[in-house]
Structures are given as C-alpha cells and as structure tokens.
C-alpha cells in the first residue's frame, strides 16, 4: 500500500515501512493533497485538511509522528473509519531536557552574557552574573503531567531539588514528590511555569490574561506544548510592560513565526523553532514508532496507541469497501 509522509522521517522508520512491502512517498511537485488522494496511510508532521476523508478516499490510517494529534482532524477520521494513532512518550526525554536547558539559560543569564561578551567585552558580560541564581529551591509549575511533564518533574525534583507543582485533567495521582495545584495557584506560586499539555478545546487559552497577571514579576513562562495554549496578545502585553520575568517559547499560534511578530523585538524572550522534541534519538524513536503503527494498521491490526477506538467498526467497513482483507474482530 502507499504510505504518504507529510515530511521526511528517520531512515530507521523508512526501513520498517519498506520491509513490510509498502511504497513510501513524500509530496513532490504535485503537493500533499494530490498524494493523499492515492494513499492508504499518512505519517503526520504537519496540519492535515479538516475534510481529510473527502480528500483521501483510500485512507485507512493517520499516524502522528509524535504526541499531539491536533494536526489530525480526529472527528472527521472517526466518522469515516480512518484510524488515528500517535507515539506517546517517544520524545519525552528530549522535550524535558530542552525545558531544563531553557531554565538553566535563564537562571544563569547565558544568552545575555554570550551577546555582551561578543559586543561589549569580558567585564560587562561578567557583571551579568550578579543577576544569576540557582534552580535549587525554586518552584516549577507543570501544566500537563503526561510523559513529558512526569519526566520534567523527575529531573527537576531529584536533580535540582526544586519544588514541583503539577496540574492535570482528572484526579489521577500525581508522580511522587509533585504537589497537585489548581491553575490559579500554580501560576501565582511558580518561578517557572512549563506548559506541557495537549491542545484541546479545554486547554486553548489556558494561560489567559488573568492567569498571566497572577504570575510573579520574576517568573518565566515556558511553552513546549502548542502556541494557542497561551493568550498570545496578553503575553506580549505583559512582556512589554515587564510585568513578568520573561517567556521561553518553542511554539506559536502560527508557524513559522512571522518576520514582523512583536515577540521578535522583546528582550525578555527566548525563541526557538518548535524544536524541543527533535533530538536525533527522539526523531528515530518517533519515526520507528509511527512506522510500526502504520504497518500494524495496514495489516488489519489495532494500533497500540489508539486515539479514536470508536472508529474501529467503521474502519472495518471502509477496508471491505476498498477491497482490503478483513480486520481483526477484537483487540
């Protein structure tokens, strides 16, 4: 069958797809939409059309090479029998370590000292150490206690002896050493706030103007989740006014970040291009995990990380209509 890739994947993932006998293709001059009209599966690293099923009449599987499935129109897929899967935890270490790097750079003024050492000299740069501080004893608030949030909590709690506050949907127990906190308290008490939650209707705008207004004047907001989790204009206003310490942002409402975006002109921000989960190790794990899910689904099996299990029966009917072998009747 034909597996469409929205973007290149690691060679290890390609090898898995080829060993299973599938054709693999990237968008060429024809573009992604033309490729989707012929594909039985798609490995996803960019936003797919909201009416995906109408544009991809042969599609059986949409597999996210990563965690967040906001790039896939899950409801549309469910209604038309397209199975959706992701690869949870594959980039947890990478994203957690990235957030640690952001906090260390902030605490020790690394970017400022680097720029001033080059532009103004040794003495001026060294003077910035007067503003440096240790992470030990500081409070980190984590919104989203999935694989990424849990790993970040473990590193900061055990490695840096930070106080860790956590917020998650539902009442599942927090990891050991993490204090459960409601969002208002978490924003008010934390020295660093790390957003590591999925983008859902409930989390859109979660870091609202009111909650940003609760932050300490020295606190930093770290977003390794999705841009729309933050009220962008409210954040820019607070940064411009110096009402919070700053923001380290890896994701944005619209990507790539526009050349004239106001964030580019602010001194109290660290901007990176949605790269937190893109270490070489994480890319290989995400690629192989996504490829394995594609092979499993196209062979008639249920995905291990099944986002829309309600689509199972409709998917069996879709396969039959397309002339593919019958799927497994049970998990």
């Amino acid at each position: 069958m034909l597996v469409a890739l929205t973007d290149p994947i690691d060679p290890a993932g390609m090898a898995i797809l080829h060993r299973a006998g599938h054709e693999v293709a990237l968008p060429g001059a024809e573009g992604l939409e033309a490729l989707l009209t012929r594909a039985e599966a798609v490995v996803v690293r960019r936003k797919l059309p909201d009416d995906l099923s109408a544009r991809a009449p042969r599609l059986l599987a949409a597999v996210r090479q990563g965690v967040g499935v906001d790039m896939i129109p899950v409801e549309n897929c469910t209604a038309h029998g397209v199975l959706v899967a992701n690869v949870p935890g594959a980039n947890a270490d990478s994203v957690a370590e990235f957030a640690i790097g952001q906090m260390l750079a902030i605490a020790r003024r690394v970017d400022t000292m680097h720029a001033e050492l080059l532009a103004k000299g040794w003495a001026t740069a060294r003077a910035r150490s007067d503003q440096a501080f240790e992470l030990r004893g500081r409070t980190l608030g984590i919104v989203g206690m999935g694989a990424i949030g849990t790993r970040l909590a473990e590193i900061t709690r055990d490695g840096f002896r930070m106080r860790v506050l956590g917020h998650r949907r539902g009442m599942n127990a927090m990891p050991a050493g993490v204090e459960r906190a409601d969002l208002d308290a978490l924003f008010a008490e934390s020295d660093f706030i790390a957003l590591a939650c999925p983008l859902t209707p409930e989390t859109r705008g979660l870091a609202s103007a009111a909650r940003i207004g609760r932050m300490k004047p020295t606190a930093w907001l770290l977003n390794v989740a999705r841009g729309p989790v933050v009220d962008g204009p409210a954040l820019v206003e607070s940064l411009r006014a110096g009402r919070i310490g700053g923001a380290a942002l890896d994701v944005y409402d619209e990507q790539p970040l526009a050349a004239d975006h106001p964030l580019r002109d602010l001194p109290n921000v660290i901007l990176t291009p949605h790269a937190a989960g893109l270490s070489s190790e994480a890319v290989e794990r995400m690629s192989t995990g996504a490829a394995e899910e594609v092979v499993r689904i196209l062979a008639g099996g249920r995905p291990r990380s099944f986002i829309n299990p309600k689509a199972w029966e409709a998917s069996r009917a879709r396969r039959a209509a397309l002339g593919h072998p019958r799927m497994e009747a049970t998990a």
Side-chain angles (χ1 to χ4, degrees), residues 67 89 91-93 95-97 99-100 103 140-157 164-168 174-176 178 194-198 224-225:
V67 183
N91 64 358
D93 284 314
V95 178
E97 290 178 11
I100 295 295
M103 289 192 288
L140 169 64
I142 304 174
V143 180
M145 294 304 301
I148 292 168
T150 298
R151 180 62 177 138
L152 180 56
E154 178 184 20
I155 297 170
T156 51
R157 180 197 66 215
V164 182
L165 306 179
H167 179 86
R168 73 186 333 163
M174 285 289 167
V178 178
L195 304 176
C197 54
V224 292

Side-chain angles (χ1 to χ4, degrees), residues 162-219:
M162 297 180 76
R163 177 193 181 206
V164 182
L165 306 179
H167 179 86
R168 73 186 333 163
R169 293 174 297 175
M171 294 306 295
N172 290 345
M174 285 289 167
V178 178
E179 303 173 36
R180 184 183 296 275
D182 65 39
L183 287 171
D184 288 346
L186 185 148
F187 272 76
E189 296 179 31
S190 300
D191 298 296
F192 295 94
I193 298 164
L195 304 176
C197 54
L199 177 62
T200 67
E202 293 74 25
T203 63
R204 185 176 293 271
L206 178 149
S208 62
R211 291 192 176 117
I212 293 170
R214 288 177 171 268
M215 291 172 62
K216 298 177 181 179
T218 56

Side-chain angles (χ1 to χ4, degrees), residues 17-87:
L17 295 171
H18 285 143
R19 282 198 301 270
H22 298 303
E23 179 187 357
V24 184
L26 283 159
E30 63 181 353
L32 177 61
E33 291 197 17
L35 179 60
L36 287 173
T37 63
R38 301 185 287 111
E40 277 83 15
V42 58
V43 177
V44 183
R45 287 184 58 193
R46 70 176 72 179
K47 181 72 171 66
L48 295 178
D50 290 336
D51 57 344
L52 177 63
S53 297
R55 296 172 185 263
R58 299 187 59 80
L59 199 67
L60 299 172
V63 179
R64 175 73 171 97
Q65 186 188 334
V67 183
V69 294
D70 52 290
M71 297 179 177
I72 301 172
V74 177
E75 290 186 6
N76 176 271
C77 289
T78 302
H80 294 89
V82 177
L83 303 187
V84 179
N86 66 350
V87 191

Side-chain angles (χ1 to χ4, degrees), residues 274-303:
H274 200 162
L278 298 182
S279 66
S280 58
E281 296 90 346
V283 169
E284 180 176 349
R285 287 193 297 266
M286 289 188 291
S287 296
T288 56
E292 288 167 354
E293 288 285 46
V294 165
V295 170
R296 187 175 296 110
I297 294 170
L298 294 185
R302 296 172 71 103

